[in-house]
Amino acid sequence: MASYSKAIIKDAIRFGTAPSGETAPCGEYDVTCTDGCVGLCHSKDQRAFTISLDAFIQHLYEGRIALAA
């Protein structure tokens, strides 16, 4: 079974509770998983955010996020 510690955001995804939300920049992210959430930290500028595991899986399914080994 493959182990993934990186994700690539290929298309803009929104996060945050405001209606407009914030948009995560495209690029490579370090991934951490805890308590049903996925933490993403941008490899280039170290900006970080957390989304629910359900939202992460939905973005994978829709092709906005890809996993990298």
Side-chain angles (χ1 to χ4, degrees):
M1 183 171 168
S3 175
Y4 299 98
S5 61
K6 300 239 183 234
I8 299 168
I9 294 183
K10 304 187 299 182
D11 193 13
I13 62 170
R14 292 201 175 294
F15 62 96
T17 57
S20 61
E22 267 193 79
T23 303
C26 295
E28 188 173 291
Y29 286 77
D30 296 316
V31 177
T32 56
C33 297
T34 54
D35 298 327
C37 293
V38 178
L40 297 159
C41 180
H42 196 268
S43 297
K44 189 180 253 185
D45 63 13
Q46 300 302 304
R47 291 185 350 177
F49 65 97
T50 303
I51 60 175
S52 71
L53 181 57
D54 290 342
F56 186 78
I57 292 169
Q58 183 70 29
H59 289 306
L60 279 172
Y61 177 76
E62 293 173 351
R64 291 187 189 102
I65 295 177
L67 295 175

